Amino acid sequence: PAAKAPKSATKPPITPVTVEVRADGLAYLPGATQPFTGDAVRPNEKQPWKVKFKEPYLDGRKHVDVTEFYADGKPKTLRHYENGVPKWAKAFHKNGQPKFDLPLNAADKVEGPYRRFHANGQLEAEATFDAQERWHGEFKEWSAEGQPRAHYVMEEGYLVRVIMETEEKKAERLAQGV
């Protein structure tokens, strides 16, 4: 039998692009006088030919999707910006299914409706955050099979009413001291 052809040369590593945020709040390449436009990138430590983190900038402001990647190249997290203003964040399970999505306020804090998903795509929880990133309003949770696990009312991060919870969820809650 014929010998296998040798593998091609190893892939060249990604060159990191690092920016610094200065007192004016804008990002610059080190030593530059003009705000940065382009992608700040960090390679994967174990696979340096792959991007681990990509942060796009436009005129020194984060713009569009700041992305962290799994080793296989699939998105792990996204934070969406429009001309430096944060809008929303999403995360994904390793299988590509959504893990959570949530809105961001101008201070880059979670504010508004929150949804979390099981790896099978089933809704796991939904709730709302106030402007101080505290649970506020109804909080509902389901099992991976879609069965209700808990339904609470929260005010400024504190549990004020248990509408329903399974025994397992009650034990979890009490173990956390809530």
Side-chain angles (χ1 to χ4, degrees), residues 50-69:
K50 290 185 176 182
V51 174
K52 164 104 174 145
F53 191 78
K54 180 178 86 167
E55 197 169 33
Y57 286 86
L58 178 64
D59 298 325
R61 293 180 177 87
K62 291 178 187 176
H63 189 64
V64 298
D65 297 336
V66 172
T67 310
E68 181 182 7
F69 298 93

Side-chain angles (χ1 to χ4, degrees), residues 105-126:
N105 64 24
D108 212 8
K109 303 279 186 185
V110 179
E111 181 180 1
Y114 163 84
R115 296 183 318 153
R116 185 175 67 229
F117 301 89
H118 291 283
N120 67 1
Q122 174 69 41
L123 183 63
E124 182 177 359
E126 64 182 4

Side-chain angles (χ1 to χ4, degrees), residues 2-173:
K4 290 186 178 181
K7 289 186 175 184
S8 61
T10 59
K11 298 175 185 174
I14 302 274
T15 302
V17 176
T18 304
V19 297
E20 53 189 33
V21 178
R22 297 193 185 149
D24 62 4
L26 301 177
Y28 296 79
L29 289 173
T33 59
Q34 295 296 316
F36 179 66
T37 293
D39 292 339
V41 295
R42 189 169 65 230
N44 183 304
E45 298 84 13
K46 294 180 181 176
Q47 300 172 314
W49 60 92
K50 290 185 176 182
V51 174
K52 164 104 174 145
F53 191 78
K54 180 178 86 167
E55 197 169 33
Y57 286 86
L58 178 64
D59 298 325
R61 293 180 177 87
K62 291 178 187 176
H63 189 64
V64 298
D65 297 336
V66 172
T67 310
E68 181 182 7
F69 298 93
Y70 283 111
D72 66 3
K74 291 180 185 174
K76 181 177 183 179
T77 62
L78 296 174
R79 285 182 91 81
H80 186 80
Y81 295 82
E82 293 176 10
N83 293 313
V85 179
K87 297 296 182 178
W88 50 261
K90 294 182 180 186
F92 301 90
H93 291 280
K94 284 187 175 185
N95 67 3
Q97 288 287 337
K99 190 173 197 175
F100 67 76
D101 62 63
L102 44 90
L104 300 172
N105 64 24
D108 212 8
K109 303 279 186 185
V110 179
E111 181 180 1
Y114 163 84
R115 296 183 318 153
R116 185 175 67 229
F117 301 89
H118 291 283
N120 67 1
Q122 174 69 41
L123 183 63
E124 182 177 359
E126 64 182 4
T128 304
F129 281 95
D130 68 11
Q132 285 74 44
E133 288 192 318
R134 299 174 298 196
W135 301 112
H136 192 79
E138 291 191 43
F139 179 100
K140 297 178 183 178
E141 189 174 297
W142 296 270
S143 70
E145 297 76 35
Q147 300 301 311
R149 291 189 71 215
H151 185 178
Y152 305 125
V153 176
M154 310 291 288
E155 285 185 12
E156 298 177 343
Y158 292 98
L159 175 65
V160 294
R161 192 165 130 214
V162 175
I163 296 172
M164 145 315 139
E165 66 185 356
T166 63
E167 287 300 319
E168 176 188 12
K169 187 64 183 175
K170 181 178 181 179
E172 287 176 25
R173 178 176 58 79

